[in-house]
């Protein structure tokens, strides 16, 4: 009896090894324990003629960048069913493994019992031989001894019955394994039967392409603005505050300019936390007073409009002196062409991923917004665009990736209503909600380093996250 039991144990051990291999190899082969399936699927989509759609948004206060990628519809969802099938296969393999472990333990236990009863059976066999050979010597005592020996062997019947049931279970498990193998082969054929090395190479290529694409995700089309995040409540109803748009991430200085005309005092806070608490600042006294709130800090210098003139000034903070000043020819000033809220907001400086800009209006273009690229060193105009949008109808404006976005009001209920694309000299009307929490915005600027909007809203310094939309061609180009 020991030989058949050992054979059953050998079969169970072999199946257990096969199942263990499947449970370890199947996930790595088809991607259940990593990103092989999903990334290989994304890699396959690169053959599509469509482009990837990518949304990016900066997250405050930790300034992390959230990137959401939407790959082309073609071929992008076919993996979902296979993933479910593979998950079901994995669960079945785990169930089979558990059943085999139970069988193995039970077989080992029963085998030990059978071995222990081997001496009893030998003793019973010898007594039966004696009884057969000398029937004359049989008596009641001999029959009692035989009965006791048979009673000791009675549990063996239950063990043998269990072996019959276990044999049926083993047959069922063999059939399950056979079915699993067939399902696995079918899924592998649908996936193209890539081996692990090929999948790994595809993943490496895809990762390289994704890193290359991420380098190009600096620009995109504005699709959304977050709810406002109030940083501080201070100052008068009008003013401006900002950080240096091209400074390294370690430089978190904040500049603060209260009021919209005749002001000369600029406060420089060491960090954002210092700005929030109103501590640790130095004061800069400008040689010329400012007009409006459209100032920016760019590469260590303040750019602003000199009061009662169309002269633009570049003030260098470190040297505490004017680096250059120049007249912005024909630009309106002194509330000639302000935004809808007034406040001497005729000339508005801006910075985006492309550099320094100025937004203003001239008599020649009938009060419509002009946006000009400027040389940050000489303040010369490099190129100008007439947007066709009347500046007095604009609440505020800002520029992202060469696109000027204009709000239709500075009051509650405002929205981003108009967009002008300098790269194509075209425009469109938009409908992007913009929550004006404190009902009177007098300054609105985009910071490309942090990818947020800075606003001064009725004595509150507020920021907004923005969400940008990118379409990346399958060739990797934006």
């Amino acid at each position: 009896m020991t030989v058949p039991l050992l054979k059953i144990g050998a079969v169970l051990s072999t199946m257990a090894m096969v199942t263990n291999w499947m449970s370890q190899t199947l996930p790595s082969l088809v991607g259940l324990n990593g990103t092989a399936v999903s990334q290989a699927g994304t890699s396959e989509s690169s053959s599509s003629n469509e482009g990837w759609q990518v949304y990016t948004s900066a997250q405050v206060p930790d300034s992390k960048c959230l990137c959401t990628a939407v790959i082309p519809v073609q071929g992008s969802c076919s993996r979902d069913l296979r993933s479910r099938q593979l998950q079901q296969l994995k669960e079945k393999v785990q169930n089979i493994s558990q059943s085999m472990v139970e069988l193995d333990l039970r077989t080992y236990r029963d085998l030990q019992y059978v071995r222990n009863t081997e001496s009893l059976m030998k003793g019973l066999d010898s007594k039966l031989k004696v009884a057969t050979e000398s029937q004359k010597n049989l008596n009641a005592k001999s029959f009692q001894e035989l009965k006791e020996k048979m009673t000791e062997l009675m549990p063996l019947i239950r063990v043998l019955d269990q072996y019959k049931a276990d044999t049926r279970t083993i047959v069922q498990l063999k059939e399950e394994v056979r079915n699993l193998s067939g399902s696995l082969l079918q899924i592998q054929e649908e996936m193209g039967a890539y081996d692990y090395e090929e999948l790994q190479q595809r993943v490496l290529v895809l990762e390289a392409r994704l890193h290359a694409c991420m380098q190009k995700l600096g620009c995109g089309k504005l699709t959304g603005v977050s709810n406002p995040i109030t940083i501080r409540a201070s100052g008068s109803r009008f003013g401006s505050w900002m950080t240096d748009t091209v400074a390294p991430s370690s430089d978190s200085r904040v500049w603060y300019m209260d009021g919209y005309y005749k002001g000369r005092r600029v406060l420089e806070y060491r960090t954002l936390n210092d700005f929030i608490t109103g501590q640790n600042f130095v004061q800069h006294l400008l040689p010329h007073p400012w007009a409006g709130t459209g100032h920016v800090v760019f590469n260590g210098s303040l750019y602003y409009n000199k009061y009662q003139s169309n002269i633009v000034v570049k003030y260098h903070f470190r040297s505490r002196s004017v680096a250059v000043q120049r007249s912005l020819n024909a630009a309106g000033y002194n509330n000639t062409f302000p935004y809808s809220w007034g406040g001497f907001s005729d000339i508005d400086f801006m910075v985006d991923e492309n550099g320094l800009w100025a937004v203003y209006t001239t008599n020649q273009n009938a009060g419509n917004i002009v946006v000009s690229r400027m040389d940050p060193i000489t303040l010369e105009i490099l190129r100008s665009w007439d947007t066709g949008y009347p500046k007095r109808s604009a609440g505020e404006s800002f520029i992202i990736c060469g696109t000027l976005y204009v709000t239709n009001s500075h009051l509650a209920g405002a929205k981003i209503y108009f967009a002008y694309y300098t790269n194509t000299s075209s425009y469109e009307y938009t409908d992007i909600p913009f929550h004006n929490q404190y009902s009177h915005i007098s300054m609105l600027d985009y910071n490309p380093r942090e990818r947020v909007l800075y606003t001064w809203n009725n004595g509150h310094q507020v920021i907004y996250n923005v969400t940008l939309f990118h379409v990346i061609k399958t060739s990797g180009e934006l």
Side-chain angles (χ1 to χ4, degrees):
M1 293 183 64
T2 58
V3 174
L5 290 173
L6 289 173
K7 288 183 178 179
I8 292 175
V11 171
L12 289 172
S13 177
T14 302
M15 293 185 68
M17 287 190 294
V18 172
T19 306
N20 183 58
W21 174 85
M22 290 181 65
S23 64
Q24 293 180 1
T25 307
L26 175 64
S28 62
L29 181 64
V30 297
L32 284 176
N33 66 343
T35 57
V37 168
S38 61
Q39 293 189 358
T42 307
S43 177
E44 285 186 358
S45 70
S46 64
S47 61
S48 170
N49 292 327
E50 302 177 34
W52 297 1
Q53 299 178 358
V54 181
Y55 297 84
T56 60
S57 178
Q59 300 298 301
V60 175
D62 55 8
S63 298
K64 291 182 179 178
C65 181
L66 175 66
C67 180
T68 303
V70 182
I71 65 175
V73 175
Q74 180 180 354
S76 64
C77 299
S78 61
R79 299 277 175 183
D80 295 340
L81 177 60
R82 297 172 199 169
S83 297
R84 289 195 294 271
Q85 291 173 340
L86 293 173
Q87 183 62 34
Q88 292 171 357
L89 284 177
K90 184 179 180 182
E91 292 173 357
K92 288 182 179 179
V93 168
Q94 291 172 344
N95 292 336
I96 291 175
S97 299
Q98 183 176 357
S99 299
M100 286 187 169
V101 168
E102 293 174 357
L103 279 172
D104 190 41
L105 291 175
R106 190 160 58 238
T107 300
Y108 178 79
R109 180 196 63 198
D110 294 342
L111 183 60
Q112 291 298 115
Y113 175 78
V114 170
R115 286 174 176 171
N116 293 335
T117 59
E118 190 172 2
S119 60
L120 293 176
M121 296 191 67
K122 287 180 178 179
L124 178 61
D125 184 58
S126 63
K127 288 183 178 295
L128 287 172
K129 285 182 180 179
V130 171
T132 303
E133 294 173 354
S134 55
Q135 297 182 7
K136 296 179 180 180
N137 297 326
L138 288 176
N139 52 37
K141 182 179 179 181
S142 299
F143 276 109
Q144 183 63 31
E145 290 177 353
L146 287 174
K147 184 178 180 181
E148 290 175 357
K149 294 290 183 182
M150 293 297 297
T151 302
E152 291 178 1
L153 291 174
M154 288 298 293
L156 187 59
I157 297 175
R158 291 194 299 271
V159 173
L160 295 176
D161 288 339
Q162 183 63 57
Y163 273 131
K164 291 180 182 179
D166 288 347
T167 302
R168 291 192 296 269
T169 302
I170 290 173
V171 173
Q172 294 174 357
L173 290 177
K174 284 183 178 179
E175 187 63 25
E176 286 288 340
V177 171
R178 191 177 294 112
N179 293 337
L180 287 174
S181 299
S183 300
L184 177 60
L185 289 175
Q186 181 181 356
I187 292 174
Q188 285 181 319
E189 290 174 359
E190 292 177 358
M191 294 176 62
Y194 301 123
D195 59 19
Y196 178 76
E197 289 74 15
E198 186 174 355
L199 287 175
Q200 189 177 38
Q201 288 301 316
R202 283 174 170 262
V203 170
L204 293 176
V205 171
L206 177 62
E207 287 179 347
R209 291 190 59 197
L210 286 176
H211 283 302
C213 287
M214 288 302 297
Q215 299 301 318
K216 301 178 181 180
L217 290 184
C219 275
K221 180 179 179 180
L222 181 69
T223 59
V225 177
S226 73
N227 287 326
I229 303 170
T230 302
I231 302 299
R232 183 183 176 188
S234 66
S236 64
R237 192 178 189 185
F238 313 96
S240 61
W241 69 294
M242 66 218 78
T243 60
D244 195 330
T245 54
V246 296
S249 58
S250 58
D251 185 350
S252 59
R253 288 177 295 171
V254 176
W255 285 268
Y256 176 87
M257 302 168 69
D258 190 10
Y260 67 89
Y261 76 106
K262 292 186 179 180
R264 295 176 59 195
R265 192 173 71 132
V266 181
L267 301 185
E268 176 186 318
Y269 291 87
R270 185 178 58 184
T271 66
L272 179 62
N273 287 333
D274 289 335
F275 172 70
I276 293 173
T277 59
Q279 300 174 344
N280 296 325
F281 63 87
V282 296
Q283 177 176 285
H284 299 271
L285 192 63
L286 301 178
H288 309 294
W290 70 70
T293 58
H295 330 300
V296 295
V297 175
F298 180 76
N299 199 22
S301 295
L302 173 70
Y303 296 80
Y304 71 97
N305 174 211
K306 183 179 177 181
Y307 180 60
Q308 288 188 330
S309 73
N310 61 7
I311 294 175
V312 291
V313 179
K314 175 183 178 182
Y315 177 83
H316 190 249
F317 283 117
R318 179 172 294 180
S319 64
R320 293 180 177 264
S321 62
V322 173
V324 63
Q325 57 182 332
R326 179 184 296 273
S327 175
L328 199 58
N329 290 333
Y333 64 94
N334 205 27
N335 269 342
T336 303
F337 297 113
Y339 289 120
S340 59
W341 64 275
F344 299 95
S345 56
D346 302 78
I347 298 174
D348 190 1
F349 282 103
M350 303 177 184
V351 174
D352 74 346
E353 293 80 359
N354 300 314
L356 181 67
W357 302 77
V359 168
Y360 55 97
T361 298
T362 67
N363 286 316
Q364 287 83 348
N365 65 356
N368 293 328
I369 292 177
V370 174
V371 55
S372 296
R373 277 284 309 276
M374 300 189 73
D375 186 317
I377 298 176
T378 65
L379 295 183
E380 292 180 353
I381 293 177
L382 304 176
R383 184 180 174 184
S384 296
W385 293 261
D386 184 346
T387 66
Y389 193 91
K391 192 164 185 287
R392 285 184 174 274
S393 298
E396 271 286 349
S397 66
F398 57 93
I399 194 163
I400 300 177
C401 301
T403 299
L404 182 73
Y405 295 95
V406 181
T407 65
N408 62 347
S409 174
H410 63 282
L411 302 173
K415 62 182 178 181
I416 299 171
Y417 181 72
F418 179 84
Y420 186 87
Y421 305 99
T422 60
N423 60 336
T424 59
S425 300
S426 61
Y427 69 89
E428 69 173 339
Y429 288 93
T430 60
D431 188 12
I432 302 175
F434 185 77
H435 181 37
N436 187 344
Q437 184 174 4
Y438 303 107
S439 302
H440 196 290
I441 291 179
S442 60
M443 169 257 178
L444 176 59
D445 267 330
Y446 171 69
N447 187 308
R449 183 186 71 169
E450 302 167 9
R451 195 163 289 179
V452 298
L453 297 175
Y454 279 68
T455 68
W456 187 294
N457 194 338
N458 211 0
H460 297 80
Q461 291 73 52
V462 181
I463 60 175
Y464 296 80
N465 293 320
V466 298
T467 299
L468 302 182
F469 170 73
H470 317 259
V471 174
I472 305 175
K473 299 178 182 178
T474 54
S475 61
E477 298 296 329
L478 283 173

